[in-house]
Amino acid sequence: MIPSYEELMLPLLQSIKDGKIHLNEEIEKKLAKKFELTAEEVQEFVSIKNKKRKFYDRINWAKTYLKKAQLIEGTNKRGEFKITKRGLEVLEETPLILDAKYLRKYPEFLEFQKIGKNDILKKNESKQVDTPMEGLEKIYELLNNELKEEMLEKLKKVDFYKFEAIVIDLVVKMGYGGSKAEISQSLTKKSSDEGIDGIINEDRLGLDRIYLQAKRWNNTTVGRPEVQKFVGALAGKGAMKGIFITTSTFTKEAIIYCENLTSQKIVLIDGNKLVELMVEFNIGLYTEQIYEIKKIDLDYFLDD
């Protein structure tokens, strides 16, 4: 019988306790052997409609939970991960079971679980019973939030030039600047031109321009001085509009400063907003599965 994702958490963590980097395929084989799964069980699909392998999917969800609790961490390469110091500390406690309830001791995991007022992962503890549609909405939101967090993590690890290319793809998809090639030609080199990374033409003649700056930072918060420098660079160009994009966050002072500008319009896009736009405009994504919810057309059954 295929174990649940919670049943997989502790064995998964134990299988990587050596502290080395491990691959998805390697761990799948180890866990399949541990639980004595048949070849048919390993290859079993989630459903006839969803051709994703059930066992592999449950391993990935176990990894997601462990990662959100910061017991494991990924690397810059796809499909690689390793145990963290916190993960080793958990194993030293020799827990009999590792599940969502156990992981709630960590604030990072609690934050991951929060979806609006109710927590779908605690639905069995709640007195409120959701309708099937409400349940679907919460599941969708859970998956969407997980996707955004994973995307932001990826963005923070790509190199500068790849991040630049991603920003260009987004800008073009949003309908600005004409073609990808046209925006690419306007971009300055890594050294930057007075704090301006690129120019977006709002019209084909270039009569109205938006200046762009993109910062791929991890934990460095963008403060007012950095934004003021960008505004000063715009003033030097006689520009009125600018977009400042970062994978990090902006300080309250930087946000208020931009809101109070009178002669220029500056749009600040932090990491969370950036991934929201990427999801909305389908940048770096593909549709894995579509479920149609159908209802009876009552008019069809009426007498002519």
Side-chain angles (χ1 to χ4, degrees), residues 59-74:
I59 291 175
N60 278 331
W61 272 108
K63 281 178 53 186
T64 294
Y65 279 34
L66 294 174
K67 186 178 294 184
K68 294 307 176 183
Q70 296 188 4
L71 304 189
I72 66 173
E73 61 184 1

Side-chain angles (χ1 to χ4, degrees), residues 156-170:
K156 290 179 178 180
K157 292 180 179 179
V158 299
D159 65 37
F160 175 84
Y161 295 107
K162 180 60 180 178
F163 179 62
E164 187 178 80
I166 291 171
V167 169
I168 294 173
D169 285 338
L170 176 60

Side-chain angles (χ1 to χ4, degrees), residues 27-274:
I27 297 305
E28 181 184 9
K29 291 179 181 178
K30 284 185 178 181
L31 293 176
K33 184 177 180 179
K34 177 177 178 58
F35 287 95
E36 300 180 346
L37 299 183
T38 65
E40 290 75 16
E41 287 174 324
V42 171
Q43 295 300 322
E44 182 180 334
F45 293 137
V46 173
S47 67
I48 296 176
K49 183 178 179 64
N50 190 337
K51 298 301 183 182
K52 179 181 289 187
R53 290 190 296 113
K54 183 182 293 186
F55 181 53
Y56 189 78
D57 187 52
R58 289 181 180 180
I59 291 175
N60 278 331
W61 272 108
K63 281 178 53 186
T64 294
Y65 279 34
L66 294 174
K67 186 178 294 184
K68 294 307 176 183
Q70 296 188 4
L71 304 189
I72 66 173
E73 61 184 1
T75 70
N76 290 332
K77 293 185 179 181
R78 184 176 181 179
E80 289 186 350
F81 61 99
K82 61 181 180 178
I83 196 169
T84 63
K85 180 181 178 182
R86 179 183 287 181
L88 290 171
E89 291 172 351
V90 168
L91 292 181
E92 289 177 0
E93 297 174 3
T94 61
L96 296 177
I97 188 171
L98 194 58
D99 55 13
K101 183 178 180 180
Y102 181 97
L103 297 180
R104 287 183 194 128
K105 64 191 286 188
Y106 302 112
E108 299 88 351
F109 186 75
L110 283 175
E111 185 64 29
F112 160 66
Q113 285 195 317
K114 290 177 183 176
I115 301 177
K117 185 177 181 180
N118 295 307
D119 178 1
I120 188 171
L121 301 176
K122 297 180 183 178
K123 60 181 181 297
N124 293 328
E125 302 171 12
S126 174
K127 295 181 180 179
Q128 179 180 347
V129 179
D130 295 328
T131 66
M133 186 58 70
E134 289 170 338
L136 283 173
E137 288 291 338
K138 287 185 178 181
I139 291 172
Y140 174 80
E141 190 172 357
L142 171 66
L143 294 173
N144 213 31
N145 287 344
E146 164 61 18
L147 170 66
K148 291 175 183 177
E149 289 187 17
E150 187 176 352
M151 287 182 70
L152 185 55
E153 184 180 328
K154 293 291 185 186
L155 284 174
K156 290 179 178 180
K157 292 180 179 179
V158 299
D159 65 37
F160 175 84
Y161 295 107
K162 180 60 180 178
F163 179 62
E164 187 178 80
I166 291 171
V167 169
I168 294 173
D169 285 338
L170 176 60
V171 168
V172 171
K173 199 69 176 289
M174 292 174 67
Y176 293 102
S179 69
K180 182 175 179 178
E182 289 172 337
I183 298 180
S184 297
Q185 289 175 359
S186 76
L187 291 173
T188 58
K189 299 301 181 185
K190 193 170 183 178
S191 60
S192 186
D193 176 20
E194 299 177 322
I196 296 174
D197 291 334
I199 303 169
I200 304 170
N201 291 322
E202 285 197 274
D203 59 81
R204 292 189 177 277
L205 297 177
L207 298 175
D208 199 0
R209 293 181 170 184
I210 299 175
Y211 286 79
L212 173 70
Q213 181 158 87
K215 295 287 187 183
R216 185 200 49 74
W217 286 344
N218 286 331
N219 300 314
T220 303
T221 303
V222 181
R224 175 170 171 164
E226 195 71 29
V227 176
Q228 278 183 303
K229 187 189 301 182
F230 178 53
V231 172
L234 295 186
K237 299 287 186 179
M240 305 296 292
K241 301 176 183 178
I243 301 175
F244 199 126
I245 299 177
T246 181
T247 51
S248 183
T249 58
F250 294 96
T251 64
K252 183 178 180 181
E253 291 75 18
I255 295 171
I256 294 174
Y257 170 73
C258 289
E259 290 175 346
N260 292 332
L261 289 173
T262 56
S263 59
Q264 293 165 310
K265 175 64 175 177
I266 306 297
V267 174
L268 302 180
I269 299 178
D270 63 12
N272 290 328
K273 182 62 177 179
L274 177 57

